[in-house]
Amino acid sequence: MRPECGRLHRFLPEASLAGDGEGPAMLGASRVGLQVPADSVPGLPTQHILAPLLDGAPVEAWFGRGACRTGKAHGVSFRCDGELLFGVIELAEAAFAGDAVATPLQQAGQQAYGSLFRVLAEEGFPHLWRVWNYLGDINGETMGLERYRQFNIGRHQAFEAAGRLDMDSIPAASALGVAGGPLSIAFLAGRVPAQPVENPRQMSAYRYPAEYGPRSPTFSRAALGRLSGEEWLFVSGTASIVGHHSVHHGDPVAQTREIVANLEALLAEASRRTDGPAYRLDELSARVYVRHPEDYPAVRAELAGALGAAAPVVYLQADVCRADLLVEVEAQACHLLT
Ligand code: 3EB
């Protein structure tokens, strides 16, 4: 069912980041857990997702092909092979003073993306494919504005300043609330563009009306990226949103069903853009964010029917970026090109 495209992406047990073994071949990794471990693979860009793991493997790893190069610039830790660069930047909001027009989080978001874009330009991987954003207290409000919306302003300003607001260069992404820690951003960038994919059931997020914040979120619903011999589909965080409205308030199972409908529509859209076979739900590997841990068994039961009981799925507790959303699913799939 799932072709062996494991070379780029795998979920792994904790021990794989203990400083030996697979480290040298990795481009980078993300690790879920409430504590940042004391030891990690030296030089490996690692994103710490400060969230409780509910089920599945704590480590998500991205693997390079051939010789990987490691670097650090503008606060971004990165590793790249000939085709892809994985990077992580983590900025403590306490390092930003804020002012009359921008909160510390907005400033941190703007600086993080500004630094990221500089690294992409300097390293020759100008095309941002996929981004993972994590911040504390995402639904909290300061200075009269929800923190997710503050982050969106800073991110939008950085995209604008870099001339990256045209819809062909907007990456797939996720943005979730975690238990604390710095603003943490991990990303994959390519030497060639990935193709953004939008969802006909959902308004493009970069066109959301102002009721969701003064600046729209800058992400596409999915991205299709080509590597030599492989095509990768990166599915952004997908929630129970139809048009631009959150639906099924208070009902995690109905929200999960709506997410599955959104994923099906998105996969159909991606399938129209590939030369290969159609993308199917049962070939996805996924990370699932559940706001309330007590909803996890019901969400899992609902998703297992759609993704398959044996699908590589990791569940964690995190806050979705709208207070009325209880579940979010992100995913990827790979097709070998023949
Ligand atoms: C949504 O569809 C739900 O701000 O980068 C999903 C994926 C969501 C990415 C982001 C937000 C982001 O609006 C939230």
Side-chain angles (χ1 to χ4, degrees):
M1 296 222 109
R2 289 180 172 81
E4 249 331 300
C5 280
R7 84 100 178 150
L8 178 62
H9 174 268
R10 252 181 291 160
F11 292 120
L12 295 171
E14 184 84 61
S16 53
L17 282 187
D20 58 282
E22 317 205 55
M26 283 186 205
L27 288 176
S30 300
R31 179 190 167 274
V32 180
L34 281 179
Q35 255 105 48
V36 179
D39 62 332
S40 52
V41 181
L44 183 74
T46 305
Q47 177 170 53
H48 302 288
I49 303 174
L50 291 178
L53 183 68
L54 299 173
D55 189 35
V59 174
E60 176 172 59
W62 299 90
F63 289 86
R65 179 181 277 173
C68 293
R69 188 166 62 79
T70 300
K72 181 139 191 164
H74 311 297
V76 178
S77 163
F78 65 86
R79 206 178 260 186
C80 54
D81 65 5
E83 295 183 300
L84 270 182
L85 181 146
F86 179 90
V88 177
I89 180 166
E90 298 192 317
L91 294 180
E93 288 172 52
F96 297 83
D99 58 33
V101 294
T103 65
L105 175 58
Q106 178 183 327
Q107 293 175 332
Q110 185 173 9
Q111 180 173 312
Y113 273 88
S115 300
L116 186 167
F117 291 143
R118 285 175 74 175
V119 169
L120 299 194
E122 290 173 8
E123 301 301 326
F125 293 83
H127 303 284
L128 191 55
W129 284 15
R130 211 304 183 197
V131 189
W132 294 265
N133 305 283
Y134 299 96
L135 51 140
D137 193 21
I138 196 168
N139 303 126
E141 189 175 308
T142 61
M143 289 174 70
L145 194 64
E146 187 186 30
R147 282 168 48 79
Y148 173 60
R149 300 175 182 203
Q150 298 174 20
F151 168 73
N152 276 330
I153 300 174
R155 176 171 57 173
H156 194 278
Q157 286 172 331
F159 271 78
E160 192 166 43
R164 288 175 173 267
L165 274 184
D166 67 288
M167 47 194 243
D168 287 341
S169 55
I170 291 189
S174 315
L176 280 302
V178 289
L183 169 65
S184 175
I185 299 173
F187 60 94
L188 279 168
R191 291 205 188 275
V192 296
Q195 197 184 345
V197 181
E198 290 301 307
N199 190 333
R201 298 184 85 240
Q202 298 186 301
M203 176 183 281
S204 293
Y206 47 80
R207 299 198 204 285
Y208 279 168
E211 63 185 281
Y212 300 103
R215 288 289 178 278
S216 56
T218 43
F219 71 94
S220 58
R221 298 298 178 184
L224 268 178
R226 281 253 177 139
L227 302 174
S228 55
E230 301 173 9
E231 181 182 77
W232 276 84
L233 176 66
F234 299 93
V235 177
S236 295
T238 303
S240 181
I241 294 175
V242 178
H244 58 76
H245 296 284
S246 306
V247 294
H248 312 300
H249 292 218
D251 186 340
V253 171
Q255 289 199 8
T256 305
R257 270 190 221 118
E258 200 67 55
I259 288 170
V260 170
N262 279 333
L263 291 173
E264 281 176 329
L266 190 58
L267 294 185
E269 205 57 28
S271 299
R272 278 193 271 281
R273 287 172 165 68
T274 177
D275 302 329
Y279 282 95
R280 299 183 323 262
L281 278 176
D282 66 4
E283 63 183 312
L284 296 176
S285 64
R287 194 186 261 158
V288 181
Y289 303 95
V290 181
R291 181 183 292 274
H292 304 300
E294 62 270 24
D295 293 341
Y296 154 64
V299 170
R300 183 178 69 169
E302 189 64 38
L303 268 182
L307 304 183
V313 183
V314 174
Y315 290 85
L316 53 116
Q317 191 274 313
D319 296 333
V320 186
C321 65
R322 290 185 191 178
D324 51 11
L325 296 174
L326 303 172
V327 187
E328 188 168 298
V329 177
E330 64 180 39
Q332 49 276 317
C334 167
H335 284 169
L336 296 174
L337 300 172
T338 47

